[in-house]
């Protein structure tokens, strides 16, 4: 497979070059042809579209986007598996779970913040002060196979505990939020808007964050059907670059980002500022052998925990045809 670099991609958009997909070289796409491409994008909580709007990244898109909003990665990956959307972004752990479940997708881009973002949180005034205090407690890792589930397993291992030492309550994000607020769970593996609202509204505290356990990889996946369409490949390449530009916008425009995310999450700016480092740390990473090995380690960790079984070569599910610099 040849690699599509930024120069070639730019020529492709202008109708002057051919895109290389799965070893074939279809005719070049003219710019007006891209206007007929419809890219179906899955968006967790609507955060990507909202940030694109705030960063001014929706004004000059040369193709059409159909947005679909999902509350969590498991729902987004169900849509990818059903071929209801072409692409969607989620952490690497639920993505590996989806691949193991038979989803015909490939990871096309990766953005990492080193493990920040997903956290185990506890209610205000909780007697739980250390991860060892989780023994005998009820923890919601949100949905099975999620990034928060992966973090919870890693936290238990770090504390010298097993799954048998706690009660795991798998809940969708809305139900987990309600249970956390009602006090029917002692700790919650949360991320993004759910964590922001719990800290801001309920004064929850972070017991432990992801670095050292989670990779922090937030990956963009595409269906095999989408990757077989050269027009959609060109659109996906552009979209992946816009994600990168959105992260750059966040870093260079802190106040504007805080205003946007405070409004989006309906929280005060002081709360959002405390979460800003996890957003500012994102950097696009290559989808290379090192990344494939990282995905393989996620799969092996799921197997060790009894969440997944069988054998899987994750390198076969990494698409290396999009530009990274």
């Amino acid at each position: 497979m040849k690699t599509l670099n930024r120069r070639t991609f730019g020529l492709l958009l202008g109708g002057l070059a051919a895109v290389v997909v799965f070893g074939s070289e279809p005719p070049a796409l003219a710019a007006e042809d891209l206007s007929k491409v419809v890219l179906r994008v899955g968006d967790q909580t609507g955060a990507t579209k909202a940030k694109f709007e705030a960063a001014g990244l929706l004004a000059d898109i040369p193709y059409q986007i159909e947005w679909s909003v999902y509350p969590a990665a498991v729902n987004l990956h169900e849509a990818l598996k059903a071929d209801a959307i072409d692409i969607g972004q989620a952490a690497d752990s639920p993505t590996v779970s989806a691949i193991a479940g038979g989803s015909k997708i490939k990871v096309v881009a990766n953005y990492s913040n080193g493990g920040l973002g997903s956290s185990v949180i506890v209610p205000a005034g909780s007697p739980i002060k250390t991860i060892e205090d989780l023994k005998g407690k009820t923890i919601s890792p949100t949905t099975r196979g999620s990034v928060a589930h992966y973090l919870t397993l890693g936290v238990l291992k770090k504390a010298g505990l097993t799954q048998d030492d706690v009660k795991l309550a798998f809940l969708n994000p809305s139900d987990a939020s309600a249970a956390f607020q009602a006090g029917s769970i002692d700790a919650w593996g949360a991320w993004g808007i759910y964590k922001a609202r719990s800290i801001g509204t309920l004064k929850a505290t972070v017991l432990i964050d992801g670095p050292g356990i989670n990779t922090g990889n937030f990956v963009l996946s595409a269906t095999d059907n989408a990757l077989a369409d050269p027009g959609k490949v060109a659109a996906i390449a552009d979209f992946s670059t816009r994600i990168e530009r959105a992260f750059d916008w966040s870093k260079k425009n802190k106040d504007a980002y805080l205003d946007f995310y405070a409004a989006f999450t309906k929280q005060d700016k002081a709360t959002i500022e405390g979460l800003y480092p996890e957003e500012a740390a994102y950097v696009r990473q290559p989808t290379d052998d090192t990344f494939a090995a990282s995905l393989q380690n996620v799969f092996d960790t799921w197997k060790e925990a009894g969440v997944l079984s069988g054998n899987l070569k994750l390198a076969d599910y990494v698409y290396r045809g999009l530009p990274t610099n």
Side-chain angles (χ1 to χ4, degrees), residues 12-98:
L12 173 63
L13 290 178
L16 300 175
V19 65
V20 180
V21 183
F22 299 128
S24 62
E25 297 188 9
L29 283 173
E32 58 267 23
D33 290 331
L34 260 191
S35 69
K36 300 175 184 177
V37 173
V38 178
L39 187 63
R40 301 173 301 164
V41 178
D43 188 1
Q44 281 196 64
T45 72
T48 299
K49 183 181 180 182
K51 187 164 70 169
F52 276 21
E53 287 177 337
L57 292 170
L58 291 180
D60 60 346
I61 294 179
Y63 47 89
Q64 302 174 60
I65 296 180
E66 286 185 0
W67 296 91
S68 297
V69 177
Y70 301 96
V74 63
N75 312 100
L76 184 147
H77 273 294
E78 286 169 355
L80 281 169
K81 187 174 183 179
D83 202 27
I85 55 176
D86 298 314
I87 61 172
Q89 208 172 356
D92 54 0
S93 40
T95 301
V96 169
S97 296

Side-chain angles (χ1 to χ4, degrees), residues 17-308:
V19 65
V20 180
V21 183
F22 299 128
S24 62
E25 297 188 9
L29 283 173
E32 58 267 23
D33 290 331
L34 260 191
S35 69
K36 300 175 184 177
V37 173
V38 178
L39 187 63
R40 301 173 301 164
V41 178
D43 188 1
Q44 281 196 64
T45 72
T48 299
K49 183 181 180 182
K51 187 164 70 169
F52 276 21
E53 287 177 337
L57 292 170
L58 291 180
D60 60 346
I61 294 179
Y63 47 89
Q64 302 174 60
I65 296 180
E66 286 185 0
W67 296 91
S68 297
V69 177
Y70 301 96
V74 63
N75 312 100
L76 184 147
H77 273 294
E78 286 169 355
L80 281 169
K81 187 174 183 179
D83 202 27
I85 55 176
D86 298 314
I87 61 172
Q89 208 172 356
D92 54 0
S93 40
T95 301
V96 169
S97 296
I99 292 170
S103 187
K104 297 183 184 304
I105 58 173
K106 288 182 174 61
V107 177
V108 300
N110 177 40
Y111 314 81
S112 182
N113 69 358
L116 296 169
S118 299
S119 306
V120 174
I121 61 176
V122 295
S126 172
I128 300 173
K129 304 300 181 186
T130 69
I131 56 176
E132 289 77 15
D133 294 336
L134 292 170
K135 184 173 183 178
K137 305 300 184 183
T138 300
I139 310 167
S140 177
T142 314
T143 52
R144 190 182 299 274
S146 67
V147 64
H149 185 192
Y150 191 89
L151 174 63
T152 300
L153 294 177
V155 169
L156 293 176
K157 186 174 183 179
K158 185 180 180 73
L161 303 174
T162 70
Q163 297 178 69
D164 294 333
D165 292 316
V166 300
K167 179 181 179 182
L168 296 181
F170 293 102
L171 301 166
N172 66 47
S174 296
D175 290 342
S177 179
F180 188 79
Q181 187 168 356
S184 54
I185 57 176
D186 300 301
W188 179 18
W191 67 91
I193 190 170
Y194 306 111
K195 185 176 79 170
R197 287 177 175 169
S198 296
I199 292 173
T201 302
L202 305 177
K203 308 306 176 187
T205 58
V206 172
L207 180 67
I208 187 170
D209 213 334
I213 299 174
N214 285 2
T215 63
N217 291 338
F218 195 42
V219 303
L220 181 66
S221 300
T223 65
D224 287 351
N225 284 341
L227 291 173
D229 181 330
K232 289 200 174 184
V233 170
I236 292 166
D238 175 80
F239 191 89
S240 71
T241 300
R242 289 175 193 270
I243 295 174
E244 186 176 8
R245 289 167 61 192
F247 283 126
D248 286 343
W249 171 81
S250 298
K251 293 173 195 175
K252 296 174 182 176
N253 301 276
K254 180 178 178 180
D255 287 341
Y257 172 80
L258 295 178
D259 286 338
F260 143 67
Y261 203 57
F264 180 73
T265 60
K266 297 180 173 60
Q267 300 302 317
D268 61 83
K269 283 183 67 173
T271 297
I272 300 307
E273 187 162 14
L275 303 175
Y276 176 73
E278 63 197 49
E279 168 74 13
Y282 274 106
V283 176
R284 188 169 185 174
Q285 304 288 349
T287 51
D288 55 11
D289 289 343
T290 299
F291 172 66
S294 175
L295 290 181
Q296 192 67 48
N297 183 64
V298 170
F299 176 73
D300 293 342
T301 300
W302 279 138
K303 277 187 65 175
E304 182 184 350
V307 176
L308 299 177

